[in-house]
């Protein structure tokens, strides 16, 4: 590869490239630490729910559940935007273009700092209004608003960590984000227990524990980026906006950010319908959501690996490797979906009892598993196709198709079907139905547009 001015001498890479070596082995080696790292990240809110459910009560558990979708809406938009940066960083890293890689990293962090400040302000101001608009039961609102406001105070730490981890992952390093998440998760667990069981701080305690843990993870990842000798090193004094690079990042990132935000908005609307079934249904759905997050975590990581793998190999112009890798992603994802779908459809009550001893809460959570489990193969196939399209640089069309199905059709389902069949089963069924329509649309789009672009036709 021809090196650009300013990087005639490239440092030896400390990260693993996905453009070389046995394909399935490379995928598993990259995805393994990613899964373990995200597993620890899931411990943040899961620990909150476990501690609150066992030591405070179902009302506080419902408050945390009501907060989750609002958090995803605000934070997800900014993190979605950083996905555009991750695609560009992976492509430049695969091509060995150190100059543009440097510009992409520093522009991305400038944007994240600005976005984190704005999200903190908006979240703190708007939380009570949004909770009220979501038909949240009045007895839940005080705790939910408190949890949200404290969480949003740490939004900048959350966003900086995700941008830093995304940079490392885009360049093939999944091990260091794993280490940092392990450390911050331990901090979160210890502080949850201390603040709730010793100091009796209830919801405020779990919120503060999460904020401090996010600060720890942000400091760790920033230290790594500022001390590495690799070509993606972050130099704090050089964090600024390169207009041309920012436009390119936003071109890729805005569609993904909007997709994440609008899909989260649809989940907020789903939550508002769910709230109408009472606090027990809210609590049951919340704890199943925790189990669901763990169950789908490997699939989400595989989708992220797909994006990085495709982007790196596109940058290196290794199209034959792209073709073989895509097939490996599909069979790995589908095999996992079948196994996990069966387990959660028939055996989800066991894990749910870790969070609460209330049989009604467990009942609602198990109902959700029976409906969602069989649909996992549709969701995971869709995620692999979306990851492939993003790695090829196509984020706009995936945004449109995702919004159409996971937001538009889901809201339409709720609007039409809930009045006709006013059951919580009807609400839950909206998920696999829209996963199926999204998978079909993405499959058609892949065959018509993405496959020829990747040289797979």
């Amino acid at each position: 590869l021809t090196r650009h001015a300013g990087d005639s001498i490239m440092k030896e890479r400390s990260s693993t490239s996905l453009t070389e070596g046995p394909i399935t082995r490379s995928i598993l080696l990259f995805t393994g630490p990613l899964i373990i790292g995200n597993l620890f990240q899931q411990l943040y809110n899961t620990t909150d729910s476990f501690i609150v459910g066992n030591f405070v009560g179902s009302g506080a558990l419902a408050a945390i559940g009501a907060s989750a979708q609002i958090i995803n809406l605000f934070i997800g938009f900014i993190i979605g935007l950083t996905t555009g940066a991750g695609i560009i960083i992976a492509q430049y890293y695969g091509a060995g273009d150190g100059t543009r890689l440097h510009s992409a990293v520093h522009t991305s962090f400038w944007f994240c700092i600005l976005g984190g400040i704005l999200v903190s302000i908006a979240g703190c101001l708007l939380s009570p209004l949004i909770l009220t608009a979501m038909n949240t039961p009045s007895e839940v609102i005080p705790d939910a608003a408190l949890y949200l406001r404290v969480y949003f105070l740490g939004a900048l730490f959350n966003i900086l960590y995700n941008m830093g981890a995304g940079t490392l992952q885009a360049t093939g390093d999944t091990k260091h984000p794993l280490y940092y998440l392990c450390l911050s998760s331990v901090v979160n667990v210890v502080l949850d227990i201390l603040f709730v069981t010793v100091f009796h701080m209830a919801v405020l305690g779990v919120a503060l524990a999460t904020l401090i843990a996010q600060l720890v993870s942000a400091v760790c990842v920033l230290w790594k980026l500022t001390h590495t000798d690799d070509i993606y090193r972050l130099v704090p004094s050089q964090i600024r906006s390169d207009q041309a690079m920012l436009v390119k990042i936003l071109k890729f990132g805005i569609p993904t950010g909007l997709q994440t935000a609008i899909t989260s908005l649809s989940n907020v609307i789903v939550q508002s319908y769910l709230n109408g079934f009472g606090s027990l249904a809210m609590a049951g759905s919340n704890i199943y959501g925790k189990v669901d997050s763990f169950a789908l975590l490997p699939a989400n990581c595989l989708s992220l690996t797909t994006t990085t793998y495709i982007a790196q190999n596109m940058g290196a112009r290794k199209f034959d490797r792209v073709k073989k890798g895509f097939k490996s992603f599909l069979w790995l994802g589908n095999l996992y979906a079948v196994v996990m779908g069966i387990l959660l459809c028939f055996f989800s009550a066991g894990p749910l009892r870790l969070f609460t001893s209330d049989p009604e809460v467990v009942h609602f959570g198990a109902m959700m598993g029976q409906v969602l489990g069989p649909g996992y193969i549709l969701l995971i196939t869709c995620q692999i196709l979306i990851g492939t399209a993003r790695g090829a640089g196509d984020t706009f069309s995936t945004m449109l198709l995702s919004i159409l199905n996971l937001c538009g059709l889901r809201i339409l389902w709720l609007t039409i079907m809930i009045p006709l069949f006013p059951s919580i089963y009807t609400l839950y069924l909206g998920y696999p139905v829209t996963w199926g329509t999204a998978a079909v649309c993405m499959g058609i789009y892949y065959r018509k547009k993405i496959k020829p672009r990747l040289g797979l036709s």
Side-chain angles (χ1 to χ4, degrees):
L1 295 172
T2 302
R3 295 186 175 90
H4 293 261
D7 51 283
S8 57
I9 301 177
M10 290 178 60
K11 298 286 186 181
E12 182 181 354
R13 292 175 174 177
S14 61
S15 303
T16 301
S17 173
L18 291 170
T19 60
E20 301 170 353
I23 293 175
T24 301
R25 180 176 180 272
S26 297
I27 291 171
L28 294 176
L29 287 177
F30 183 92
T31 308
L34 199 60
I35 291 172
I36 299 172
N38 279 271
L39 180 66
F40 277 92
Q41 189 171 37
Q42 289 292 340
L43 287 175
Y44 280 3
N45 289 335
T46 302
T47 302
D48 293 349
S49 296
F50 177 83
I51 297 295
V52 167
N54 285 279
F55 294 97
V56 182
S58 59
L61 187 62
I64 293 177
S67 306
Q69 300 302 338
I70 300 175
I71 291 170
N72 292 340
L73 176 62
F74 281 82
I75 303 296
F77 178 69
I78 299 298
I79 294 175
L81 284 172
T82 65
T83 301
I87 294 169
I88 292 171
I89 289 169
Q91 289 179 345
Y92 289 152
Y93 192 77
D97 189 342
T99 299
R100 290 190 176 90
L101 178 60
H102 178 89
S103 176
V105 168
H106 289 78
T107 300
S108 298
F109 273 93
W110 175 87
F111 178 79
C112 284
I113 292 170
L114 176 63
I117 294 171
L118 293 177
V119 166
S120 292
I121 295 172
C124 289
L125 292 177
L126 299 177
S127 293
L129 296 176
I130 297 174
L131 286 166
T132 301
M134 289 174 60
N135 194 33
T136 305
S138 57
E139 69 272 16
V140 174
I141 288 180
D143 279 343
L146 175 62
Y147 183 87
L148 281 171
R149 281 175 162 159
V150 175
Y151 188 98
F152 278 119
L153 287 175
L156 178 61
F157 307 140
N158 187 322
I159 292 169
L160 286 176
Y161 167 76
N162 278 280
M163 183 64 242
T167 299
L168 293 174
Q169 290 159 4
T171 56
D173 184 353
T174 56
K175 293 182 180 179
H176 285 93
L178 166 61
Y179 303 151
Y180 308 146
L181 281 173
C182 289
L183 174 61
S184 61
S185 295
V186 170
V187 170
N188 187 61
V189 171
V190 171
L191 292 180
D192 267 342
I193 295 172
L194 178 66
F195 291 162
V196 175
T197 64
V198 178
F199 297 138
H200 307 290
M201 297 172 68
V203 170
L204 175 61
V206 295
L208 286 173
T210 299
L211 185 152
I212 294 170
Q214 289 173 343
L215 172 61
V216 169
S217 63
V219 169
C220 289
V221 78
L222 290 174
W223 186 91
K224 167 62 180 175
L225 288 171
T226 54
H227 288 78
T228 184
D229 290 328
D230 214 327
I231 58 175
Y232 55 82
R233 181 175 183 173
L234 177 68
V235 182
S237 63
Q238 296 178 23
I239 295 177
R240 59 178 60 90
S241 174
D242 179 307
Q243 185 174 356
M245 185 59 68
L246 180 61
V247 169
K248 190 169 186 178
I249 290 171
L250 293 179
K251 178 182 177 182
F252 286 114
I254 285 179
T256 305
L258 287 175
Q259 175 185 331
T260 304
I262 294 175
T263 301
S264 296
L265 177 61
S266 75
N267 289 331
V268 170
I269 295 172
V270 172
Q271 182 72 42
S272 69
Y273 277 91
L274 176 63
N275 293 348
F277 288 96
S279 61
L280 292 176
M282 292 171 63
S285 298
N286 175 38
I287 59 174
Y288 180 79
K290 305 305 178 186
V291 175
D292 178 81
S293 296
F294 279 103
L296 290 178
L297 190 150
N300 294 332
C301 293
L302 195 63
S303 179
L304 177 59
T305 303
T306 305
T307 298
T308 305
Y309 177 92
I310 298 295
Q312 282 196 12
N313 283 281
M314 287 285 287
R317 313 297 292 176
K318 295 186 176 182
F319 297 107
D320 184 61
R321 191 174 175 85
V322 169
K323 179 179 180 179
K324 294 177 181 178
F326 175 74
K327 293 179 179 179
S328 294
F329 284 115
L330 272 184
W331 75 259
L332 285 170
N334 288 333
L335 176 63
Y336 180 80
V338 170
V339 173
M340 188 53 62
I342 292 173
L343 289 175
L344 287 185
C345 181
F346 295 103
F347 306 105
S348 59
L352 295 174
R353 292 191 182 97
L354 295 174
F355 296 91
T356 181
S357 58
D358 189 324
E360 286 296 314
V361 173
V362 173
H363 170 69
F364 279 110
M367 287 169 56
M368 196 170 185
Q370 292 166 5
V371 177
L372 268 59
Y376 282 159
I377 191 168
L378 299 172
L379 176 61
I380 293 174
T381 298
C382 185
Q383 288 178 322
I384 298 298
L385 291 170
I386 289 174
T388 301
R390 286 177 178 171
D394 190 338
T395 57
F396 183 76
S397 297
T398 58
M399 174 198 73
L400 292 180
L401 293 174
S402 295
I403 290 173
L404 171 65
N405 290 279
L406 303 181
C407 183
L409 287 182
R410 188 169 293 170
I411 293 173
L412 186 64
W413 173 273
L414 294 171
T415 304
I416 296 175
M417 300 302 289
I418 291 289
L420 293 175
F421 305 98
S423 165
I424 199 167
Y425 273 112
T426 306
L427 183 145
Y428 292 154
L429 192 59
Y431 285 101
V433 167
T434 52
W435 293 341
T437 59
V440 170
C441 290
M442 278 304 306
I444 294 172
Y445 185 77
Y446 166 79
R447 289 182 64 87
K448 296 290 186 181
K449 299 294 184 180
I450 303 301
K451 191 175 180 180
R453 184 182 307 175
L454 297 176
L456 303 182
S457 55

